[in-house]
Amino acid sequence: GKGGEDVMEAEQEMAFERGKFGGTGDVSGEAVRCVPFLADGELECDVGGKVVIVGRGGVKFEVKAQRVARGGGIGMIVVNTEESLFSCTGSADDVEMPVVCVAKSGGGLLKDGARVSLRGVQYGVGTLRYTCDVGADGHNVKKDLAEALPVSGGFAVPPRIPSPSQHAGGGGDSVDSSDNDSDDSLGDVDIEKYKAVRNAIKLRLDDDQHDLAGQEDGGNEGMSAPASVGGGGGEKKGG
């Protein structure tokens, strides 16, 4: 597949709290994010044999669980609206699958198709193990830029990063906002990549200057003077 060779599967874990109703046995299976996510209407996704991820709110917990159970789900993970665990309240004797709750941020890490397993359900608080693709999700990957970029002459070749001045033609507002909120508009990975690219450019410029200094006496006519080094404005002058 596309770049499939670069994607590895990793297993992570998070805590869960069991609900006041539902089964107490551990389960493992494929995860599916519920549609609609709050399970506040008839389910529009196939939950048969799967561990179903639903959001908190909209309808009672037992109503969500009954819908999932009717569809053949083997477990239900409720994503809290806060960064804390919660024991889902309610009573539903017809729900035999385990019903557990995870914190808000944890729920965001559970993707369709992930392998999940609930361990320690009988104890009330346990561990949810889940798989994620390292490389497909920026939050799970810390890839070294030098490995990701093509290498030329021993230095990583950075991709072209257009300067704000190149966009200054008609969109004054967008340029202003990008200048003011540059860090906000970039994700964590983008900021790290930008810093690494900036360092790579600096390394290449330093190296070019060393080369020039070593060949000054040789008078190599093929070497151009480093007039544009540090200018940052590209090759065109003025205009």
Side-chain angles (χ1 to χ4, degrees):
K2 296 179 181 178
E5 302 80 13
D6 298 327
V7 176
M8 296 180 295
E9 195 174 74
E11 189 175 71
Q12 313 268 6
E13 55 184 45
M14 68 181 77
F16 69 76
E17 185 167 350
R18 192 183 80 216
K20 305 291 187 191
F21 66 95
T24 57
D26 293 355
V27 296
S28 297
E30 182 181 329
V32 61
R33 293 183 75 85
C34 195
V35 181
F37 189 55
L38 297 181
D40 52 355
E42 289 307 309
L43 304 189
E44 300 168 23
C45 57
D46 176 18
V47 301
K50 297 180 181 178
V51 180
V52 186
I53 303 155
V54 304
R56 182 179 180 181
V59 294
K60 292 182 176 180
F61 293 116
E62 59 259 45
V63 173
K64 299 175 191 285
Q66 286 163 343
R67 285 190 173 127
V68 168
R70 277 201 305 271
I74 60 171
M76 185 174 84
I77 301 171
V78 178
V79 180
N80 200 359
T81 52
E82 300 174 359
E83 294 300 337
S84 59
L85 300 181
F86 179 82
S87 183
C88 299
T89 55
S91 175
D93 294 336
D94 53 340
V95 175
E96 298 178 357
M97 63 178 185
V99 174
V100 304
C101 173
V102 298
K104 180 179 178 180
S105 59
L109 299 173
L110 302 173
K111 305 296 183 188
D112 277 331
R115 294 283 305 171
V116 298
S117 62
L118 302 176
R119 305 288 176 86
V121 176
Q122 60 179 319
Y123 303 114
V125 176
T127 300
L128 185 163
R129 293 182 180 169
Y130 65 100
T131 58
C132 58
D133 286 340
V134 175
D137 184 337
H139 292 291
N140 292 329
V141 66
K142 291 287 184 187
K143 192 161 187 176
D144 183 25
L145 187 75
E147 293 175 3
L149 294 174
V151 172
S152 171
F155 289 94
V157 180
R160 286 193 59 189
I161 299 179
S163 64
S165 62
Q166 286 176 299
H167 297 298
D173 292 340
S174 63
V175 171
D176 289 343
S177 63
S178 68
D179 284 348
N180 294 339
D181 304 323
S182 57
D183 281 357
D184 295 336
S185 63
L186 289 172
D188 292 340
V189 175
D190 291 331
I191 292 173
E192 289 306 314
K193 181 177 285 189
Y194 167 73
K195 289 177 181 175
V197 167
R198 186 180 60 191
N199 290 339
I201 293 173
K202 186 173 185 299
L203 279 173
R204 291 178 65 213
L205 292 178
D206 289 347
D207 187 66
D208 287 347
Q209 288 171 337
H210 291 321
D211 286 347
L212 289 171
Q215 295 182 18
E216 273 177 3
D217 296 336
N220 186 340
E221 294 176 1
M223 297 296 292
S224 59
S228 62
V229 170
E235 291 177 15
K236 285 189 177 180
K237 300 284 184 185

